[in-house]
Amino acid sequence: MRFMKHAPVAGLAAAIVIFQLATTLLGREFYLTQLTMAAYYCLVILGLTVLMGYAGQISMGHAAFFAMGGYTTAVLTKLDLSAAAGGLPRLVVDLGLSVTSVNAFGVEVRHLSPWVSLVVAVLLTTTVAFLIGIPILRLKGHYLAMATLGFGIIVYRIVLGTSLFGEADGISDIPAFTLAGGLAVSGDPELRVQNFYIAAVLLLAGLVLLLNLIDSRSGRALRAIHGSEEAANAMGVDTAGFKLMVFVLSAVFACVAGVFLTHFNGGVGPSEADVMKSVTYVAIVAVGGMANLWGALAMGIVLNYLSLRGYFGSYDELVFGGILIVIMLFFPEGLLSARNLKNLKGAAVRLVRGKGGEGADGRP
Amino acid sequence: MAVLEVRGISRAFGGLKAVDDVSFEVASGEIKAVIGPNGAGKTTLFNLIAGALAPDSGEAYAGGLPIHGLEPYRIARHGIARTFQNIKLFPRMTVLESVMVGAHLSGSSGVFATMLRLPASRREEKALRERSMQVLEFTGIAHLAHEDAVSLAFGRQRVVEIARALAAGPALLLLDEPAAGLNIHETNEISEMIMKIRGGGTTVLVIEHDMSLVMNISDSIVVLSSGKKIAEGGPRDIQRNEEVVRVYLGEEDDA
Amino acid sequence: MSLEQVLQYILSGVTNGSIYAIVAIGFNIIYNTTGIINFAQGEFLMLGGMTAISLAAFVPLPLAILAAVVITAIIGALVDFVFIRRLKTPSVLNMIIVTIGLSIVIREIALHVWDEKVRSLPYFTGSEVTSVSILGAYISPQVLWVLGIAAVIVVFLGFFFKFTLTGRSMRACAANMTAAKLCGINTGAMVTVSFMLSAAIGALAGCAISPITQTQYDCGTPLAIKGFTVAILGGLGNSTGAVVGGMVVGMLEAFSISVLPLAYKDAIAITILLLILFVKPSGLLGKKEAAGLKEF
Ligand SMILES: Nc1ncnc2c1ncn2[C@@H]1O[C@H](COP(=O)(O)OP(=O)(O)O)[C@@H](O)[C@H]1O
Ligand SMILES: [Mg+2]
C-alpha cells in the first residue's frame, strides 16, 4: 500500500534525473530552461487542481496570486540598501537580512535577502487570500467565477497602472535568489542544470504535500464539499472554513511559484497577472482531469513547455481557448478523468478478449 | 433529559407557512416518527432541526443546549446526524470514503498535519478507517466498501447514507423517508436496521410514509399537516385519532 | 468643478452607461432562457463593430451596419448550434468554462481575420469636430446616436417580449423551462433565438460606439465585465434593472476620473461588482425570494 503510493513519485523523480542526463549528453541543455519555467507554472496548477478539481471552487484569478509573489520579491529585492544610513533599511542590514550581489552593470549592490521577500510575499498573499476569500467563497457558480475574475483584473490593473511596478514594462534585473551552498535561483545559463533540479524538487515537494492532503481527513472533507456542500456540512465539516483554507493554500502555491520564477527569469511583467494567464491555468486543470493531480501535472508540463517554446506561435491563446471548449463539450469530467481512463482500460481489455458491445451499466 | 426539544418552531417560504409553531420532545432511547401528507412540512422541520434552514422563530435544544440558528456543522457537533430524502451522496468517492466523511468529527487533524503526514494524523487516519469499517459491518455493506457510492443500486445508496450518518456516532439520528422507493424486502431490512440502531443506544427520529413500518417500530408519533402539529402520541392513539384519519383519507397513495 | 464639467461627466456617464445596459440586457436574454452567463457577450459587440468597419469600405454605412448585425446574429445562432446544444446536463462550471473558451476563440479568430490595429466606423452624422451644445456642454452627435439606439433597443425588446408570440414563449421558458416544454413551446428554438437576439443587439451597440471608443479585436472582454457588473447590480435577468444599473456604473466611472488616475478607471466597475456580490448578490433591484432560487 505504502509502496504503491510512493512508487509513482519515485518514478517521476527518476524520470527527471534521466531527462536531465539525456539533455546534457545530447548537448541539448537549453530544453531545461523552458522545462524549469513549466515546472514553476505547474506548481500554480497543482494548487488550483486541489481548489477547483477536488474542492469544486473555481478561481479565475490565480494569476493575481502568482503576480503578488513575483512583484513582491521584485520590488523588495530591487531596493538598494548599500547606503542604508538609518531607520528600517539600517535595521534590516544590521539584522543580517540583506545580501550583496553584482547587478547587470557589474556594480555590487546590497539588497534585501530573497528569503525575507519570500516570507513577506507569502504573508501578503495569505492575508489577501484570506480577506478576499471570506466573502468570495460564499458565492457559487457564475458569481464565484466573476468575482475571482474581477479580483484578477483589479490586480492586473494595479500592476499595469502603478509606477512602483514598472507599469507596462514590468521589473527587470532582479538579483538571483541564493538558497544555500552555492545553489541559486537565477537565469544564468551556467546554473541551468541546478535550476532545473531546484524547480523539480519544489514541484515534487508540492505534489507530495497535495497527494497527502487529498487522501486524508481534510482531503475527503474537500471532496465531500464538491460533491454536496449541504451533506458535508451536515456531517460536521466546517465547509466555509475548509474552502477558505484550500483557497489560501492554493494562493500560497501560486505565490511561491511566482517568487521563484521571477528570480529565475530575472524579471516579471504584467502579463503574469493577465486574465488570460488565469484562464490558461483553469484550462490545464480541466484537461488534466479536474480532480487529478497527476493529470494536471502531466498536462501542465506538456502544454506549458510547448507554449513556452513557441510551438503554438501566434495561435497560443486560440489553442487554450479551443482546449477549454473541446474538453467541456466532449470530456466534461476532464480528459484524464478516472472514468475516461477506466473506459480506455475497459476498451483495451475488450479489444484483447475480442468481445463486442457492453450492456447497460446497471443503474436503476 | 430529552435528546431533542423543539419549542414553537416556525418557518415560512414567502407567504407559505411550511412549519408553523411546532413543539415536541424526543426522549432518550426512543424511536419517534414524524408523519403527515406530502408538503406537510416534515422535511422542512428536519432542515430546521439540523440547521440547513434557520427558523423564523422558535427554539431547539439538543441535550438541553440551544442549537437553533447554528450552522449545520455546529449542530452535528451536538450529536445530531441526518440522512436526506433525496439522497445526497458524494460523487467520485467510495462507500468507505463517504462513511469516513461521516466520521469526520471523531478526527481533529487539520490541513497542515495531513499534508505533512504527521504521526498523529496517520494514527488518526487508521482509527477513522477502522471505525468506518465497523459501521459498514453494522449496516451490512462492508463488502461494498470500495465501490463507487453513487453507482450502487438505489436501495444500497440509502443504506450508505444511513451508515455515513451513523459513523458520526450521533446521540440522535434523523432519517428522512429511509424506505421511500424501496421494495418490501428492502423496507423490512431498513425497519430491522432502525431497531438495531436504537438497540445500539442511538435515539431515532424518522420521517416515513410506510404506515406499517411506522406503526411497527415507533414508540411515539408526531403528525404534521399544513405545517402544524395536529397530533402526538403512541401508535394506537394516532391510529384512532379522528383528525389524523381525516387528513389521511384519500392521501394514502401519495408517496 | 464647474457646472459645464459636471454636465460633461454626466453625459459621458449616461453614454457609457447605456452601452453597459445593452450588454447587460444581452446577458439577461441568454441567462433567462438557458441559465448560462455568456462570457462571450462582449465579443458580439466587437464582431459587430469589426464587420461593419470592413463592410463600410464597400457599401453605404447603414447597409454595412445592417449586414454586420445580421452576420453577428447568424454567428450567435451558430454558437448555439455548434456548442451550447452539445452541453448535455452541464454543470455551472462547464457552462462557464465553455463560454470563456468561446470568448477567447472568437477574439483570437478576429485577431487573425483582422489584426491588432485599432479601427473605427465613421461618425454616423457629422464628424469628431462637430458638436451640439446642450446647456453649455458640448456633445458629439454620435453620443446622441448611441443614446437613441440604446433607447430604441430597450423599447423594441419591451415590445418584443410583451406582444410577440416568440417573445412571450421566451418569457415562458425563462419562468419555467419544463412547463414551457409541456405547453408545446419549442424550447430549443427559443434558446437559438435568444442567442441571435443577444448577438444582434450586441452588434448594433458595437457599431454605435465604434466611432467614439474605437474597435479592436480584444475590446469585448472589458465591456463584458462591465455589462456583467450592471446585470448583477440590476438583478440578473431584470432588464429595467439593467438600465438603472447601467446609469449608476456609467456615472460612478465618469466621476471617478476626477479623483482617481485614469489607469484605475476599469477597476472601478469591478470594485463595484465585488461589493455588490459580497453585500447583496441579488442586486439592487433583485427580489430576495427570486434570488434564493438561483444558484449563487
Ligand atoms: N426551499 C424552499 N423554498 C420554498 N418552498 C419550500 C422550500 N422547501 C419546502 N418548501 C415548501 O414547503 C412545504 C413543505 O415542504 P416539505 O417540508 O418538503 O414537506 P414534506 O417533507 O412534508 O413533504 C411545501 O409546500 C414545499 O413546497
Ligand atoms: Mg419530505
Side-chain angles (χ1 to χ4, degrees):
Chain A
M1 192 75 193
R2 294 211 65 77
F3 173 74
M4 285 297 288
K5 205 177 266 167
H6 291 290
V9 176
L12 179 60
I16 288 168
V17 174
I18 292 169
F19 189 85
Q20 181 270 315
L21 292 175
T23 54
T24 303
L25 285 175
L26 297 173
R28 291 264 188 283
E29 273 183 6
F30 56 85
Y31 283 150
L32 297 181
T33 301
Q34 281 84 16
L35 218 49
T36 304
M37 295 168 73
Y40 288 129
Y41 284 127
C42 256
L43 211 50
V44 188
I45 290 160
L46 289 185
L48 190 60
T49 301
V50 174
L51 177 67
M52 213 173 103
Y54 289 96
Q57 311 298 311
I58 193 172
S59 167
M60 303 283 305
H62 255 50
F65 295 121
F66 181 97
M68 265 184 217
Y71 275 96
T72 305
T73 200
V75 169
L76 292 181
T77 57
K78 285 272 286 186
L79 290 176
D80 190 352
L81 302 181
S82 305
L88 195 59
R90 187 73 244 167
L91 188 67
V92 166
V93 174
D94 289 347
L95 285 174
L97 299 179
S98 70
V99 290
T100 55
S101 56
V102 180
N103 73 7
F105 306 105
V107 180
E108 184 164 277
V109 282
R110 178 165 284 280
H111 59 84
L112 190 68
S113 158
W115 282 113
V116 179
S117 62
L118 173 67
V119 171
V120 174
V122 168
L123 289 178
L124 177 77
T125 305
T126 307
T127 313
V128 171
F130 196 81
L131 292 180
I132 196 96
I134 291 172
I136 272 191
L137 293 167
R138 279 207 304 252
L139 304 169
K140 288 196 176 75
H142 291 117
Y143 293 77
L144 178 63
M146 267 297 180
T148 49
L149 183 69
F151 164 70
I153 294 175
I154 290 179
V155 171
Y156 177 61
R157 287 283 155 195
I158 291 175
V159 164
L160 203 57
T162 309
S163 57
L164 178 66
F165 301 129
E167 295 176 356
D169 298 330
I171 301 176
S172 51
D173 285 332
I174 295 163
F177 184 171
T178 309
L179 299 174
L183 281 179
V185 181
S186 118
D188 185 349
E190 301 278 301
L191 305 179
R192 193 139 50 192
V193 173
Q194 61 157 283
N195 265 280
F196 173 70
Y197 278 110
I198 294 171
V201 166
L202 203 61
L203 183 61
L204 275 180
L207 178 69
V208 169
L209 289 180
L210 295 181
L211 284 173
N212 282 345
L213 173 69
I214 55 165
D215 184 28
S216 73
R217 174 177 181 266
S218 318
R220 279 188 301 273
L222 291 175
R223 288 147 68 200
I225 290 171
H226 189 182
S228 168
E229 197 163 335
E230 191 182 353
N233 208 328
M235 292 303 121
V237 176
D238 175 4
T239 51
F242 270 99
K243 285 198 288 186
L244 187 58
M245 202 66 157
V246 73
F247 185 71
V248 172
L249 183 72
S250 68
V252 168
F253 266 65
C255 162
V256 170
V259 170
F260 276 81
L261 187 56
T262 297
H263 284 286
F264 179 67
N265 285 341
V268 61
S271 71
E272 294 298 352
D274 195 352
V275 170
M276 192 55 215
K277 257 301 193 299
S278 298
V279 172
T280 307
Y281 297 142
V282 171
I284 293 175
V285 173
V287 196
M290 287 291 188
N292 182 348
L293 282 170
W294 285 101
L297 181 75
M299 286 302 170
I301 294 286
V302 172
L303 290 175
N304 272 310
Y305 180 77
L306 294 179
S307 166
L308 289 165
R309 282 206 65 85
Y311 276 95
F312 305 136
S314 63
Y315 294 94
D316 203 76
E317 300 197 351
L318 194 60
V319 168
F320 284 102
I323 285 176
L324 286 179
I325 299 177
V326 170
I327 294 297
M328 285 306 119
L329 290 186
F330 302 108
F331 309 97
E333 302 249 312
L335 192 58
L336 300 180
S337 70
R339 187 172 305 172
N340 285 340
L341 294 180
K342 210 160 137 189
N343 285 346
L344 203 68
K345 203 168 125 197
V349 168
R350 275 197 305 280
L351 209 67
V352 170
R353 291 196 193 139
K355 267 203 263 177
E358 194 190 13
D361 62 0
R363 285 200 67 177
Chain B
M1 191 187 299
V3 176
L4 176 74
E5 186 185 349
V6 174
R7 265 191 233 150
I9 215 159
S10 300
R11 168 75 195 215
F13 296 111
L16 175 84
K17 287 183 175 169
V19 170
D20 190 1
D21 195 20
V22 171
S23 305
F24 63 93
E25 282 186 17
V26 184
S28 180
E30 75 168 332
I31 295 177
K32 188 162 196 137
V34 179
I35 65 170
N38 252 324
K42 305 181 296 294
T43 298
T44 306
L45 177 65
F46 266 29
N47 284 337
L48 292 172
I49 296 169
L53 289 170
D56 294 334
S57 60
E59 288 143 28
Y61 297 85
L65 300 171
I67 55 167
H68 45 272
L70 294 184
E71 291 226 41
Y73 77 93
R74 292 199 181 278
I75 293 178
R77 287 173 194 179
H78 280 88
I80 297 182
R82 71 176 297 190
T83 66
F84 295 89
Q85 181 176 355
N86 40 357
I87 295 177
K88 293 191 175 174
L89 287 176
F90 309 124
R92 294 175 296 274
M93 283 175 98
T94 66
V95 169
L96 177 61
E97 285 175 327
S98 310
V99 173
M100 285 171 84
V101 173
H104 184 84
L105 286 178
S106 60
S108 64
S109 50
V111 168
F112 292 104
T114 52
M115 275 205 301
L116 297 171
R117 287 255 139 155
L118 298 180
S121 87
R122 258 190 263 170
R123 271 197 303 278
E124 186 181 285
E125 181 79 7
K126 196 153 160 268
L128 277 182
R129 191 173 294 269
E130 275 161 16
R131 180 194 177 107
S132 303
M133 277 313 292
Q134 278 167 10
V135 175
L136 287 179
E137 265 149 36
F138 181 85
T139 48
I141 50 171
H143 59 291
L144 301 173
H146 300 290
E147 299 287 322
D148 179 31
V150 289
S151 33
L152 294 178
F154 185 71
R156 298 287 100 178
Q157 293 194 26
R158 275 259 142 80
V159 180
V160 176
E161 272 233 339
I162 296 176
R164 183 176 68 184
L166 270 183
L172 173 67
L173 179 63
L174 308 178
L175 300 172
D176 196 345
E177 304 205 16
L182 301 189
N183 62 33
I184 298 179
H185 175 68
E186 290 170 327
T187 303
N188 283 339
E189 274 181 11
I190 291 288
S191 161
E192 276 164 27
M193 193 181 299
I194 295 174
M195 300 294 281
K196 198 170 150 196
I197 290 168
R198 191 257 301 269
T202 303
T203 308
V204 179
L205 183 63
V206 55
I207 296 175
E208 191 41 68
H209 268 296
D210 187 318
M211 279 311 142
S212 64
L213 187 152
V214 169
M215 296 305 164
N216 274 335
I217 65 170
S218 24
D219 302 309
S220 65
I221 299 174
V222 169
V223 189
L224 290 188
S225 173
S226 305
K228 288 197 175 64
K229 182 173 98 172
I230 57 168
E232 180 173 6
R236 292 256 171 68
D237 311 327
I238 295 298
Q239 269 166 321
R240 280 196 226 101
N241 185 307
E242 274 177 32
E243 195 171 359
V244 175
V245 173
R246 188 157 46 76
V247 164
Y248 264 87
L249 270 186
E251 305 251 8
E252 283 286 46
D253 332 296
D254 273 13
Chain C
M1 225 187 284
S2 70
L3 186 66
E4 284 85 62
Q5 246 177 325
V6 171
L7 218 56
Q8 209 82 49
Y9 281 137
I10 290 179
L11 265 171
S12 136
V14 170
T15 314
N16 287 330
S18 57
I19 292 300
Y20 301 159
I22 300 298
V23 183
I25 291 174
F27 274 120
N28 285 342
I29 293 173
I30 292 179
Y31 178 80
N32 278 341
T33 46
T34 62
I36 293 175
I37 297 287
N38 174 28
F39 280 77
Q41 190 64 34
E43 271 62 37
F44 289 148
L45 275 83
M46 180 273 292
L47 279 179
M50 283 300 212
T51 313
I53 291 166
S54 294
L55 292 176
F58 307 105
V59 297
L61 186 60
L63 202 59
I65 294 176
L66 182 68
V69 169
V70 172
I71 290 172
T72 312
I74 292 172
I75 293 175
L78 282 178
V79 164
D80 175 45
F81 272 120
V82 180
F83 303 108
I84 305 300
R85 281 186 187 212
R86 268 170 229 278
L87 282 172
K88 294 185 190 86
T89 59
S91 71
V92 179
L93 193 66
N94 290 354
M95 300 194 280
I96 294 169
I97 294 181
V98 164
T99 58
I100 287 178
L102 275 171
S103 135
I104 294 169
V105 167
I106 294 175
R107 192 175 73 208
E108 292 302 306
I109 290 177
L111 172 64
H112 285 92
V113 169
W114 291 280
D115 48 39
E116 71 290 324
K117 280 205 210 78
V118 178
R119 298 147 206 261
S120 65
L121 276 176
Y123 279 65
F124 290 6
T125 51
S127 68
E128 40 288 42
V129 288
T130 45
S131 60
V132 188
S133 159
I134 294 176
L135 299 173
Y138 290 96
I139 54 167
S140 153
Q142 190 64 29
V143 165
L144 297 180
W145 274 107
V146 171
L147 296 178
I149 286 175
V152 167
I153 289 175
V154 171
V155 170
F156 163 77
L157 287 178
F159 178 83
F160 175 79
F161 283 118
K162 221 175 221 137
F163 299 114
T164 69
L165 187 60
T166 316
R168 287 181 183 190
S169 305
M170 283 170 73
R171 269 177 35 208
C173 289
N176 186 335
M177 197 55 124
T178 326
K181 214 175 256 171
L182 288 176
C183 295
I185 293 174
N186 182 346
T187 51
M190 292 309 130
V191 172
T192 311
V193 173
S194 72
F195 269 88
M196 291 178 71
L197 198 58
S198 198
I201 65 166
L204 187 56
C207 292
I209 56 167
S210 176
I212 307 175
T213 63
Q214 305 188 305
T215 313
Q216 199 181 0
Y217 78 101
D218 63 354
C219 69
T221 312
L223 282 170
I225 304 260
K226 287 179 193 162
F228 183 78
T229 306
V230 166
I232 298 285
L233 188 62
L236 205 49
N238 177 345
S239 288
T240 320
V243 174
V244 179
M247 295 306 134
V248 173
V249 173
M251 292 293 178
L252 281 173
E253 252 189 19
F255 282 95
S256 77
I257 303 175
S258 59
V259 284
L260 278 175
L262 191 60
Y264 298 141
K265 181 184 159 209
D266 277 347
I268 297 291
I270 298 161
T271 311
I272 300 172
L273 170 67
L274 291 180
L275 288 178
I276 309 162
L277 286 178
F278 296 165
V279 177
K280 193 167 182 289
S282 54
L284 290 186
L285 302 183
K287 286 192 214 75
K288 196 150 174 272
E289 287 300 327
L293 301 173
K294 289 175 188 150
E295 203 184 342
F296 289 125

